[in-house]
Structures are given as C-alpha cells and as structure tokens.
Amino acid sequence: MSQILIHPLTATLLVVGAAVGYAVATVGMKAASDGFTPVGISLGIIGFSIAFLAEIVLLRRADLSVIYIIIVAAETLLILAYAAWIGEGLNLRQAFGATMVLGGLVAISL
C-alpha cells in the first residue's frame, strides 16, 4: 500500500483529527509541566486517545510512512501556532530550523 485508499475528505479529517489530538496532548503536557493539574492530565489523555484512534483507522488503509509524515507536519504547525499564541514565539534561528524540518518532511514524502 503506497497511497491512502479511503475517501480523500475522510482521510483529511482523520489526519487533522490525529494532529489536533497530538496538539491537545502537547497543550496538556505544557499545562502539567507547571504541576500535575487535572486539566493538564485530562488534556493529555484525551489528546493522545483522539490521535491513537484516528491513526488506527488511517493505518488500516495507508502506509505508516505517508500518514506519519503528514500528521507530524500538521501537528508541528498547530503547536507553533499555539506557542506563538501563548507568547513563546520563535526567534529567527528557530523559525529557520522549523522551516527546514517541515521542508524535510515534504521532501521525504514526495
């Protein structure tokens, strides 16, 4: 299997769901890093559960390498947006590095 064999809209929604799940889990980990708060722990559990279930459905119909790269790219963009929103934006060097990582993901997925 080298391509996604489900409807493109369904695949897109599942990829976005997995990326959002990982992003929510990351927000939970950030919240829990200040102390193991129930909100942080709950967000982590909920986020990872959403990502886990979305990826299971995707992996039944597509290669891991394709799915993982797309999800990581989408999750990275979501986390960068969240970091900027909470005031932890990137400096120029970090932004350049993030761009290189995302570019690398695109390059290996082609």
Side-chain angles (χ1 to χ4, degrees), residues 4-18 57-58:
I4 298 174
L5 302 175
I6 56 179
H7 190 278
L9 180 59
T10 303
T12 301
L13 290 174
L14 288 168
V15 166
V16 169
V57 174
L58 284 165

Side-chain angles (χ1 to χ4, degrees), residues 69 72-77 80 96-107:
I69 290 168
V72 167
E75 176 195 0
T76 300
L77 293 172
L80 289 174
F96 180 70
T99 301
M100 289 180 61
V101 169
L102 291 173
L105 289 172
V106 169

